[in-house]
Amino acid sequence: MDFNTIHGLIFDFDGVLANTAIDIAGAVNATLENFGYQPLSQEQIIIFVGNGAEKLLKRSIAASIQLSKKSPDEIQAPAFEEIYSWYVDYYRTHSVEKTELYPGVKDLLELLTIQEIPSAIVSNKPFEITDAILRKMDISKDFVSIIGPEQTSHVKPDPEGLFLAMEQINKRQRAFGKPTIPPENFLMVGDSHTDIEAGRNAGTKTCALTSGYGNQEKLLASQPDVTLHMVCELIVHLQHPSNY
């Protein structure tokens, strides 16, 4: 793939820019225990990451019930909406206890600023949690757009979030008198097959990261345009003069 044609980036978040696994697992287990479910291992919980917090919780609850060998009727839990709300509130206030940016992320964002390559985040993670982490890490200013499931009707692999991010980036491009960037000149960077499929559905180029949380077999089977291990490797590929 010719990286000289890339003039905008869209990132997934969990497992791509930040190692959030410990805090995600901690929030899920705190939620499970609060509502009378059995906790799960971190490894088991992370398998469920990638399709949004609602599916993460539903899958974790189902796995917990199976582990406890109880029927759903034996557990007197409230409506799922209450469980989900409790999870979001808890995770928001415990989101950066162990979470760290991956090595080289700040260097990459600095390079994008120097090269005038705009970037966005499109995540299936609740927006307020992603936003809270970015602010605590002092990198929210480095993104033109941060898209979560609350801003769209469909989550990845549907391309709706990517279209919205590209629209917001191009709105800023026009405001600064710069040319708009077509989808084929964007790179979607993610660690799961849903990211790659979303990029393809939106017409962008795609980059798979093998160091994240996504199922490796499904990730590689999604046939990304380029495969890297960690996001910091993009620094080498994007170090070219930008006159776009």
Side-chain angles (χ1 to χ4, degrees), residues 125-148:
K125 191 187 198 75
F127 168 82
E128 60 182 304
I129 296 176
T130 303
D131 186 57
I133 295 172
L134 293 172
R135 290 181 184 279
K136 289 176 183 177
M137 296 292 185
D138 194 29
I139 59 170
S140 61
K141 64 185 182 300
D142 294 306
F143 302 97
V144 177
S145 176
I146 302 167
I147 306 297

PDB file of all heavy atoms in Angstrom, residues 125-148:
ATOM      1  N   LYS A 125     -16.980   1.741  21.940  1.00  0.00           N
ATOM      2  CA  LYS A 125     -16.951   2.018  23.381  1.00  0.00           C
ATOM      3  C   LYS A 125     -17.830   3.237  23.668  1.00  0.00           C
ATOM      4  O   LYS A 125     -17.869   4.175  22.863  1.00  0.00           O
ATOM      5  CB  LYS A 125     -15.500   2.319  23.763  1.00  0.00           C
ATOM      6  CG  LYS A 125     -15.163   2.397  25.224  1.00  0.00           C
ATOM      7  CD  LYS A 125     -13.708   2.872  25.350  1.00  0.00           C
ATOM      8  CE  LYS A 125     -13.136   2.572  26.718  1.00  0.00           C
ATOM      9  NZ  LYS A 125     -12.826   1.149  26.878  1.00  0.00           N
ATOM     10  N   PRO A 126     -18.533   3.270  24.796  1.00  0.00           N
ATOM     11  CA  PRO A 126     -19.335   4.455  25.118  1.00  0.00           C
ATOM     12  C   PRO A 126     -18.521   5.732  25.009  1.00  0.00           C
ATOM     13  O   PRO A 126     -17.395   5.810  25.523  1.00  0.00           O
ATOM     14  CB  PRO A 126     -19.784   4.187  26.558  1.00  0.00           C
ATOM     15  CG  PRO A 126     -19.837   2.699  26.658  1.00  0.00           C
ATOM     16  CD  PRO A 126     -18.683   2.215  25.819  1.00  0.00           C
ATOM     17  N   PHE A 127     -19.079   6.744  24.367  1.00  0.00           N
ATOM     18  CA  PHE A 127     -18.353   7.980  24.083  1.00  0.00           C
ATOM     19  C   PHE A 127     -17.800   8.621  25.355  1.00  0.00           C
ATOM     20  O   PHE A 127     -16.640   9.055  25.391  1.00  0.00           O
ATOM     21  CB  PHE A 127     -19.264   8.979  23.369  1.00  0.00           C
ATOM     22  CG  PHE A 127     -18.676  10.366  23.296  1.00  0.00           C
ATOM     23  CD1 PHE A 127     -17.751  10.678  22.314  1.00  0.00           C
ATOM     24  CD2 PHE A 127     -19.021  11.342  24.221  1.00  0.00           C
ATOM     25  CE1 PHE A 127     -17.179  11.949  22.258  1.00  0.00           C
ATOM     26  CE2 PHE A 127     -18.462  12.606  24.169  1.00  0.00           C
ATOM     27  CZ  PHE A 127     -17.537  12.910  23.185  1.00  0.00           C
ATOM     28  N   GLU A 128     -18.608   8.709  26.404  1.00  0.00           N
ATOM     29  CA  GLU A 128     -18.173   9.433  27.601  1.00  0.00           C
ATOM     30  C   GLU A 128     -16.968   8.772  28.257  1.00  0.00           C
ATOM     31  O   GLU A 128     -16.151   9.451  28.880  1.00  0.00           O
ATOM     32  CB  GLU A 128     -19.314   9.579  28.597  1.00  0.00           C
ATOM     33  CG  GLU A 128     -19.904   8.285  29.103  1.00  0.00           C
ATOM     34  CD  GLU A 128     -21.079   8.539  30.048  1.00  0.00           C
ATOM     35  OE1 GLU A 128     -20.882   9.248  31.048  1.00  0.00           O
ATOM     36  OE2 GLU A 128     -22.184   8.034  29.773  1.00  0.00           O
ATOM     37  N   ILE A 129     -16.826   7.458  28.078  1.00  0.00           N
ATOM     38  CA  ILE A 129     -15.668   6.774  28.657  1.00  0.00           C
ATOM     39  C   ILE A 129     -14.424   7.033  27.813  1.00  0.00           C
ATOM     40  O   ILE A 129     -13.355   7.363  28.342  1.00  0.00           O
ATOM     41  CB  ILE A 129     -15.930   5.266  28.797  1.00  0.00           C
ATOM     42  CG1 ILE A 129     -17.079   5.019  29.780  1.00  0.00           C
ATOM     43  CG2 ILE A 129     -14.668   4.546  29.255  1.00  0.00           C
ATOM     44  CD1 ILE A 129     -17.487   3.583  29.917  1.00  0.00           C
ATOM     45  N   THR A 130     -14.557   6.898  26.491  1.00  0.00           N
ATOM     46  CA  THR A 130     -13.429   7.207  25.607  1.00  0.00           C
ATOM     47  C   THR A 130     -12.972   8.639  25.817  1.00  0.00           C
ATOM     48  O   THR A 130     -11.778   8.923  25.944  1.00  0.00           O
ATOM     49  CB  THR A 130     -13.823   6.997  24.132  1.00  0.00           C
ATOM     50  OG1 THR A 130     -14.268   5.661  23.937  1.00  0.00           O
ATOM     51  CG2 THR A 130     -12.639   7.263  23.214  1.00  0.00           C
ATOM     52  N   ASP A 131     -13.929   9.564  25.864  1.00  0.00           N
ATOM     53  CA  ASP A 131     -13.609  10.975  26.044  1.00  0.00           C
ATOM     54  C   ASP A 131     -12.904  11.211  27.378  1.00  0.00           C
ATOM     55  O   ASP A 131     -11.931  11.976  27.451  1.00  0.00           O
ATOM     56  CB  ASP A 131     -14.894  11.799  25.967  1.00  0.00           C
ATOM     57  CG  ASP A 131     -14.640  13.299  26.003  1.00  0.00           C
ATOM     58  OD1 ASP A 131     -13.891  13.793  25.134  1.00  0.00           O
ATOM     59  OD2 ASP A 131     -15.173  13.971  26.896  1.00  0.00           O
ATOM     60  N   ALA A 132     -13.362  10.548  28.430  1.00  0.00           N
ATOM     61  CA  ALA A 132     -12.738  10.712  29.751  1.00  0.00           C
ATOM     62  C   ALA A 132     -11.290  10.231  29.737  1.00  0.00           C
ATOM     63  O   ALA A 132     -10.398  10.891  30.302  1.00  0.00           O
ATOM     64  CB  ALA A 132     -13.543   9.952  30.801  1.00  0.00           C
ATOM     65  N   ILE A 133     -11.037   9.095  29.088  1.00  0.00           N
ATOM     66  CA  ILE A 133      -9.670   8.563  29.021  1.00  0.00           C
ATOM     67  C   ILE A 133      -8.771   9.502  28.228  1.00  0.00           C
ATOM     68  O   ILE A 133      -7.650   9.815  28.632  1.00  0.00           O
ATOM     69  CB  ILE A 133      -9.663   7.152  28.402  1.00  0.00           C
ATOM     70  CG1 ILE A 133     -10.411   6.171  29.299  1.00  0.00           C
ATOM     71  CG2 ILE A 133      -8.226   6.673  28.174  1.00  0.00           C
ATOM     72  CD1 ILE A 133     -10.611   4.799  28.687  1.00  0.00           C
ATOM     73  N   LEU A 134      -9.263   9.974  27.076  1.00  0.00           N
ATOM     74  CA  LEU A 134      -8.463  10.865  26.234  1.00  0.00           C
ATOM     75  C   LEU A 134      -8.102  12.149  26.973  1.00  0.00           C
ATOM     76  O   LEU A 134      -6.985  12.655  26.856  1.00  0.00           O
ATOM     77  CB  LEU A 134      -9.226  11.198  24.952  1.00  0.00           C
ATOM     78  CG  LEU A 134      -9.452  10.042  23.973  1.00  0.00           C
ATOM     79  CD1 LEU A 134     -10.375  10.482  22.850  1.00  0.00           C
ATOM     80  CD2 LEU A 134      -8.128   9.537  23.417  1.00  0.00           C
ATOM     81  N   ARG A 135      -9.064  12.679  27.750  1.00  0.00           N
ATOM     82  CA  ARG A 135      -8.799  13.909  28.496  1.00  0.00           C
ATOM     83  C   ARG A 135      -7.778  13.668  29.606  1.00  0.00           C
ATOM     84  O   ARG A 135      -6.883  14.498  29.835  1.00  0.00           O
ATOM     85  CB  ARG A 135     -10.105  14.466  29.071  1.00  0.00           C
ATOM     86  CG  ARG A 135     -11.045  15.019  28.007  1.00  0.00           C
ATOM     87  CD  ARG A 135     -12.320  15.588  28.585  1.00  0.00           C
ATOM     88  NE  ARG A 135     -13.221  16.019  27.538  1.00  0.00           N
ATOM     89  CZ  ARG A 135     -13.126  17.172  26.893  1.00  0.00           C
ATOM     90  NH1 ARG A 135     -12.171  18.022  27.213  1.00  0.00           N
ATOM     91  NH2 ARG A 135     -13.985  17.485  25.945  1.00  0.00           N
ATOM     92  N   LYS A 136      -7.904  12.540  30.286  1.00  0.00           N
ATOM     93  CA  LYS A 136      -6.955  12.227  31.353  1.00  0.00           C
ATOM     94  C   LYS A 136      -5.556  11.972  30.794  1.00  0.00           C
ATOM     95  O   LYS A 136      -4.555  12.239  31.467  1.00  0.00           O
ATOM     96  CB  LYS A 136      -7.449  11.028  32.157  1.00  0.00           C
ATOM     97  CG  LYS A 136      -8.665  11.343  33.017  1.00  0.00           C
ATOM     98  CD  LYS A 136      -9.188  10.111  33.737  1.00  0.00           C
ATOM     99  CE  LYS A 136     -10.440  10.432  34.543  1.00  0.00           C
ATOM    100  NZ  LYS A 136     -11.017   9.241  35.203  1.00  0.00           N
ATOM    101  N   MET A 137      -5.494  11.466  29.559  1.00  0.00           N
ATOM    102  CA  MET A 137      -4.207  11.222  28.912  1.00  0.00           C
ATOM    103  C   MET A 137      -3.690  12.469  28.185  1.00  0.00           C
ATOM    104  O   MET A 137      -2.607  12.458  27.613  1.00  0.00           O
ATOM    105  CB  MET A 137      -4.340  10.067  27.899  1.00  0.00           C
ATOM    106  CG  MET A 137      -4.690   8.732  28.511  1.00  0.00           C
ATOM    107  SD  MET A 137      -3.347   8.086  29.519  1.00  0.00           S
ATOM    108  CE  MET A 137      -3.998   6.462  29.949  1.00  0.00           C
ATOM    109  N   ASP A 138      -4.504  13.535  28.177  1.00  0.00           N
ATOM    110  CA  ASP A 138      -4.160  14.814  27.545  1.00  0.00           C
ATOM    111  C   ASP A 138      -3.894  14.671  26.040  1.00  0.00           C
ATOM    112  O   ASP A 138      -2.968  15.272  25.494  1.00  0.00           O
ATOM    113  CB  ASP A 138      -2.943  15.444  28.230  1.00  0.00           C
ATOM    114  CG  ASP A 138      -2.760  16.915  27.853  1.00  0.00           C
ATOM    115  OD1 ASP A 138      -3.768  17.590  27.563  1.00  0.00           O
ATOM    116  OD2 ASP A 138      -1.602  17.376  27.816  1.00  0.00           O
ATOM    117  N   ILE A 139      -4.737  13.868  25.363  1.00  0.00           N
ATOM    118  CA  ILE A 139      -4.579  13.747  23.915  1.00  0.00           C
ATOM    119  C   ILE A 139      -5.893  13.992  23.163  1.00  0.00           C
ATOM    120  O   ILE A 139      -5.939  13.812  21.942  1.00  0.00           O
ATOM    121  CB  ILE A 139      -4.011  12.362  23.505  1.00  0.00           C
ATOM    122  CG1 ILE A 139      -4.931  11.231  23.982  1.00  0.00           C
ATOM    123  CG2 ILE A 139      -2.589  12.178  24.019  1.00  0.00           C
ATOM    124  CD1 ILE A 139      -4.549   9.875  23.408  1.00  0.00           C
ATOM    125  N   SER A 140      -6.935  14.418  23.860  1.00  0.00           N
ATOM    126  CA  SER A 140      -8.213  14.626  23.170  1.00  0.00           C
ATOM    127  C   SER A 140      -8.102  15.701  22.102  1.00  0.00           C
ATOM    128  O   SER A 140      -8.783  15.646  21.076  1.00  0.00           O
ATOM    129  CB  SER A 140      -9.314  14.993  24.168  1.00  0.00           C
ATOM    130  OG  SER A 140      -8.998  16.190  24.852  1.00  0.00           O
ATOM    131  N   LYS A 141      -7.220  16.677  22.322  1.00  0.00           N
ATOM    132  CA  LYS A 141      -7.038  17.774  21.373  1.00  0.00           C
ATOM    133  C   LYS A 141      -6.425  17.310  20.063  1.00  0.00           C
ATOM    134  O   LYS A 141      -6.452  18.048  19.059  1.00  0.00           O
ATOM    135  CB  LYS A 141      -6.149  18.849  21.992  1.00  0.00           C
ATOM    136  CG  LYS A 141      -4.735  18.382  22.286  1.00  0.00           C
ATOM    137  CD  LYS A 141      -3.915  19.435  22.996  1.00  0.00           C
ATOM    138  CE  LYS A 141      -2.477  18.982  23.242  1.00  0.00           C
ATOM    139  NZ  LYS A 141      -2.396  17.756  24.072  1.00  0.00           N
ATOM    140  N   ASP A 142      -5.850  16.121  20.045  1.00  0.00           N
ATOM    141  CA  ASP A 142      -5.170  15.633  18.844  1.00  0.00           C
ATOM    142  C   ASP A 142      -6.121  15.020  17.824  1.00  0.00           C
ATOM    143  O   ASP A 142      -5.684  14.628  16.741  1.00  0.00           O
ATOM    144  CB  ASP A 142      -4.111  14.589  19.231  1.00  0.00           C
ATOM    145  CG  ASP A 142      -2.978  15.196  20.053  1.00  0.00           C
ATOM    146  OD1 ASP A 142      -2.379  16.179  19.582  1.00  0.00           O
ATOM    147  OD2 ASP A 142      -2.708  14.702  21.166  1.00  0.00           O
ATOM    148  N   PHE A 143      -7.411  14.937  18.157  1.00  0.00           N
ATOM    149  CA  PHE A 143      -8.384  14.315  17.257  1.00  0.00           C
ATOM    150  C   PHE A 143      -9.451  15.322  16.847  1.00  0.00           C
ATOM    151  O   PHE A 143     -10.014  16.030  17.687  1.00  0.00           O
ATOM    152  CB  PHE A 143      -9.027  13.100  17.923  1.00  0.00           C
ATOM    153  CG  PHE A 143      -8.026  12.056  18.339  1.00  0.00           C
ATOM    154  CD1 PHE A 143      -7.550  12.011  19.644  1.00  0.00           C
ATOM    155  CD2 PHE A 143      -7.530  11.153  17.418  1.00  0.00           C
ATOM    156  CE1 PHE A 143      -6.608  11.073  20.033  1.00  0.00           C
ATOM    157  CE2 PHE A 143      -6.585  10.202  17.792  1.00  0.00           C
ATOM    158  CZ  PHE A 143      -6.124  10.167  19.102  1.00  0.00           C
ATOM    159  N   VAL A 144      -9.717  15.361  15.568  1.00  0.00           N
ATOM    160  CA  VAL A 144     -10.769  16.244  15.056  1.00  0.00           C
ATOM    161  C   VAL A 144     -12.130  15.759  15.513  1.00  0.00           C
ATOM    162  O   VAL A 144     -13.025  16.545  15.828  1.00  0.00           O
ATOM    163  CB  VAL A 144     -10.712  16.311  13.515  1.00  0.00           C
ATOM    164  CG1 VAL A 144     -11.854  17.162  12.965  1.00  0.00           C
ATOM    165  CG2 VAL A 144      -9.370  16.848  13.040  1.00  0.00           C
ATOM    166  N   SER A 145     -12.290  14.456  15.566  1.00  0.00           N
ATOM    167  CA  SER A 145     -13.598  13.864  15.842  1.00  0.00           C
ATOM    168  C   SER A 145     -13.439  12.622  16.704  1.00  0.00           C
ATOM    169  O   SER A 145     -12.502  11.840  16.515  1.00  0.00           O
ATOM    170  CB  SER A 145     -14.278  13.499  14.515  1.00  0.00           C
ATOM    171  OG  SER A 145     -15.500  12.853  14.725  1.00  0.00           O
ATOM    172  N   ILE A 146     -14.340  12.464  17.669  1.00  0.00           N
ATOM    173  CA  ILE A 146     -14.388  11.255  18.501  1.00  0.00           C
ATOM    174  C   ILE A 146     -15.817  10.736  18.433  1.00  0.00           C
ATOM    175  O   ILE A 146     -16.747  11.391  18.905  1.00  0.00           O
ATOM    176  CB  ILE A 146     -14.005  11.556  19.962  1.00  0.00           C
ATOM    177  CG1 ILE A 146     -12.596  12.160  20.029  1.00  0.00           C
ATOM    178  CG2 ILE A 146     -14.069  10.284  20.804  1.00  0.00           C
ATOM    179  CD1 ILE A 146     -12.252  12.761  21.369  1.00  0.00           C
ATOM    180  N   ILE A 147     -15.982   9.570  17.832  1.00  0.00           N
ATOM    181  CA  ILE A 147     -17.314   9.011  17.582  1.00  0.00           C
ATOM    182  C   ILE A 147     -17.517   7.772  18.436  1.00  0.00           C
ATOM    183  O   ILE A 147     -16.689   6.856  18.452  1.00  0.00           O
ATOM    184  CB  ILE A 147     -17.499   8.640  16.092  1.00  0.00           C
ATOM    185  CG1 ILE A 147     -17.181   9.837  15.189  1.00  0.00           C
ATOM    186  CG2 ILE A 147     -18.910   8.112  15.852  1.00  0.00           C
ATOM    187  CD1 ILE A 147     -18.096  11.023  15.380  1.00  0.00           C
ATOM    188  N   GLY A 148     -18.632   7.740  19.151  1.00  0.00           N
ATOM    189  CA  GLY A 148     -19.032   6.566  19.916  1.00  0.00           C
ATOM    190  C   GLY A 148     -20.390   6.078  19.457  1.00  0.00           C
ATOM    191  O   GLY A 148     -21.024   6.704  18.590  1.00  0.00           O
TER     192      GLY A 148
END
